[in-house]
Amino acid sequence: MRRATIYDVAELASVSPATVSRHVRGHRVRAGTAIQRAIDQLDYWPTAAAQSLRSGVHYSIAVVVPDITNPYFSALVKGIESVYRPGPYSVVLANSDESEKVEDAVVAELVRRVDGLILAPVTEDEETPLRARDAGVPLVFVDRMLKETTFDSVIVDNVGGAGLAAAHLLSLGHRKVGAISGPLDTTPGRGRRDGFVQQLEQAGVELPDAYDQIANFRESGGFEAMLRLLDLDEPPTAVFCANNLMCAGALKALKGAGVRVPTDMSIVGFDDLDMASLLDPPLTVIDRPSEEQGMIAAHLLQSRLAGSAESPRHVMLPVRLLLRTSTAPPPKAVRRMTATSTSPSLSTGRKGTAGSNRRICRDRAR
Amino acid sequence: MRRATIYDVAELASVSPATVSRHVRGHRVRAGTAIQRAIDQLDYWPTAAAQSLRSGVHYSIAVVVPDITNPYFSALVKGIESVYRPGPYSVVLANSDESEKVEDAVVAELVRRVDGLILAPVTEDEETPLRARDAGVPLVFVDRMLKETTFDSVIVDNVGGAGLAAAHLLSLGHRKVGAISGPLDTTPGRGRRDGFVQQLEQAGVELPDAYDQIANFRESGGFEAMLRLLDLDEPPTAVFCANNLMCAGALKALKGAGVRVPTDMSIVGFDDLDMASLLDPPLTVIDRPSEEQGMIAAHLLQSRLAGSAESPRHVMLPVRLLLRTSTAPPPKAVRRMTATSTSPSLSTGRKGTAGSNRRICRDRAR
DNA sequence: GTGAAAGCGCTAACAT
DNA sequence: ATGTTAGCGCTTTCAC
């Protein structure tokens, strides 16, 4: 049996196809109930392709992230979906797998099928976004963005967050601190390293090349970078890991090498992990509002789709230091400072970030 | 400037639209290079909606999972994507959020836009799959399936895996064992509980109602169920958690209550976690091949799309017990058995599962 | 509020 | 191998 078309419904309900179309799209029509009965009876569903072809709208948007396996991105997506439910838009998700090439192919495909795009680009200087512009598809960046851009964006205060981590480590008395940063051609990779280094410099502490590790944003990156750090004659007494996955990798390397945290080495991560409090030891991290970030991105996109589009809007969300127990004073504090104070004085100058009032918190019960 | 159509390209290259169409779809045509030049010059991209409307194929498939936040599903998706890259099909991902209602809406939308569906259904007795059948869209189940079904499916040996967990706990000498199961109207929820109970019964051990906890598959479910268990006059000395998220929740409850694992209570989970080895203590789990499961599902779907469709195929993947250190003999072993043997003798009768040779392993270094 | 008619952009038949 | 023609199923004028 052939699939029913709008003509079949029209005939059965004794109206014109145009009227059926209006009814289906929610307009009030006189024969509404009769049409609905015909629709149910024939099990009619509009053909999406025909609708799109004719009207030019798809009623769907796409989200492209570099690694769906990363809990941060899962949370982000959840936030976006919560805004778009219950429709009329459906949201499709795609993975670029941290590959510029894959991302480009994926986006090229998607811009032909969706009305808008939320993108966490793989690098800061790629050309993928042009595909969206060329296709006339509104785009908003999340988590990462291009260097100079006319697109909307929602990122977090990477520089400030990393600075917070550095200040915390310094206040504990650490002077030999290392950093495992992500690729420097990404917004968070570069921003977090910059913020960390700046804060160190303000305290007159240097980040030697050997302590300045760059790696990929996955577990393997953190694992290998930590191995290199441990291989040094004089490893750092504290290390900042630029994201959650790297941090897990670094912890595995430490565990394998028998290095105790925080007794032998302190660790601060960026991005909270659902399991962070269950780890051995519970992880001190820079935490950011992931779901909320997704929701804001969705709202920005929606306002574009609704046509109320002004100049590009860039929103930056505040982050906070979540204290758990993976940080402690160094094994032998060289210069005694406020090293015993677990509530470090963070009077160091810092440009204020939107609405950040409580920047340091202890982890609550669960 | 209007978007270029196939007619514009045809005119510029002095051929017919049909020839351009053939070229675009990879056929060899004489004027190939001229056409390509015209395409590049005009920046022509075929309109997906028009292609689909005319040809009836979308060149995309969809994956619908109940919780993209669950690492198991992330891995599954990764496996699927690896099969479909580099095209010509694109894969879109959707989240049903463990809600039958959301799932139904999402699938209803998707079947209008994709050529095939890979679905991890929310429950075992829902009607969503009928949407796919009605729309003539091939469907394959992963992880979960309906009770009686004519669709392809790829699941894992839930019953056997849970049995393995029970046998392990028993062999350590536990007699007061509890289970935190998922919803019984899901394949893994029911299967894992059944397998656990059966194995217990074979050893003459009962699962009292109070030890038989049912909860949602999320962290909150595990947390609350464990709280209930701890509230008992005589809590179990070992607990089996039916999935990774629940297990994390249960661990948080234990941590909050100051119950030590495995000293005071042993824990076995189902599904490995990336972080499982970093937890305090490293978690003993039933592990299954997630990415591989996704790949198999993708292949099954592809064979359907290719038309080589016979009767429904059901594949069941083997699982294994991954020994770490969250399990140990009970505080005071009531009856001394082989309670000190960490390599339990699993001579208990069990129907063989496809290709399972090494069902118990110790966790390797990292 | 409703109907008639045109056409979105493409590909499948068919003819050459 | 290529061109001609028709039409996929819908929505949108435009007239009433």
Side-chain angles (χ1 to χ4, degrees), chain B residues 17-279:
Chain B
T19 303
V20 177
S21 173
R22 293 184 182 106
H23 169 80
V24 166
R25 281 172 298 141
H27 295 211
R28 290 211 72 76
V29 297
R30 231 189 292 288
T33 49
I35 294 174
Q36 190 55 52
R37 186 165 32 227
I39 288 175
D40 293 341
Q41 185 176 333
L42 297 173
D43 194 27
Y44 165 74
W45 283 94
T47 301
Q51 292 182 304
S52 300
L53 177 57
R54 183 58 235 232
S55 68
V57 334
H58 304 277
Y59 285 110
S60 67
I61 65 113
V63 182
V64 182
V65 298
D67 184 3
I68 193 56
T69 268
N70 184 325
Y72 160 70
F73 287 115
S74 306
L76 190 83
V77 168
K78 213 163 190 173
I80 294 169
E81 284 182 328
S82 75
V83 170
Y84 278 100
R85 184 171 313 135
Y89 285 83
S90 43
V91 5
V92 315
L93 195 51
N95 205 350
S96 62
D97 210 24
E98 295 279 12
S99 152
E100 245 179 283
K101 204 164 146 250
V102 171
E103 179 184 274
D104 200 61
V106 158
V107 169
E109 240 349 279
L110 285 174
V111 291
R112 307 197 305 135
R113 318 180 157 277
V114 300
D115 305 306
L117 211 53
I118 295 179
L119 172 68
V122 171
T123 74
E124 280 198 311
D125 30 43
E126 59 189 33
E127 300 198 327
T128 302
L130 297 181
R131 294 207 178 272
R133 192 202 302 289
D134 291 350
V137 173
L139 169 68
V140 1
F141 288 121
V142 273
D143 182 48
R144 312 175 177 192
M145 54 189 288
L146 296 216
K147 273 174 179 153
E148 40 177 350
T149 176
T150 57
F151 296 101
D152 294 331
S153 68
V154 193
I155 59 171
V156 300
D157 185 9
N158 290 308
V159 175
L164 221 40
H168 172 56
L169 261 17
L170 289 170
S171 79
L172 286 171
H174 291 276
R175 289 300 174 272
K176 298 189 296 182
V177 296
I180 300 181
S181 304
L184 298 184
D185 59 357
T186 67
T187 309
R190 197 170 40 77
R192 291 172 196 173
R193 176 163 167 282
D194 285 355
F196 195 77
V197 170
Q198 279 169 26
Q199 189 65 34
L200 249 38
E201 279 176 356
Q202 279 187 26
V205 174
E206 241 196 325
L207 184 67
D209 280 353
Y211 285 7
D212 186 15
Q213 295 288 337
I214 313 295
N216 74 54
F217 265 134
R218 306 185 215 203
E219 211 182 283
S220 63
F223 184 82
E224 287 151 19
M226 181 55 86
L227 248 31
R228 272 176 262 138
L229 250 18
L230 292 177
D231 232 31
L232 263 25
D233 285 339
E234 203 173 341
T237 61
V239 172
F240 167 61
C241 299
N243 90 339
N244 46 11
L245 264 30
M246 295 176 122
C247 200
L251 289 174
K252 286 191 181 172
L254 290 172
K255 196 154 205 169
V259 177
R260 291 158 305 170
V261 178
T263 324
D264 304 326
M265 184 186 282
S266 287
I267 296 288
V268 199
F270 204 115
D271 283 340
D272 198 19
L273 240 17
D274 227 31
M275 313 254 145
S277 65
L278 294 174
L279 293 184

Side-chain angles (χ1 to χ4, degrees), chain A residues 72 76 140-145 152-156 292-294 296-298 300 313-317:
Chain A
Y72 160 69
L76 190 82
V140 2
F141 289 121
V142 271
D143 184 49
R144 311 174 178 193
M145 54 188 289
D152 293 332
S153 68
V154 193
I155 59 171
V156 299
E292 188 180 311
Q293 196 179 348
I296 293 172
L300 287 181
R313 295 149 297 177
H314 302 286
V315 358
M316 180 189 283
L317 267 22

Side-chain angles (χ1 to χ4, degrees), chain A residues 16 18-19 22 29-30 53-54:
Chain A
S16 75
T19 303
R22 292 185 182 106
V29 297
R30 234 188 290 288
L53 177 57
R54 183 57 233 236

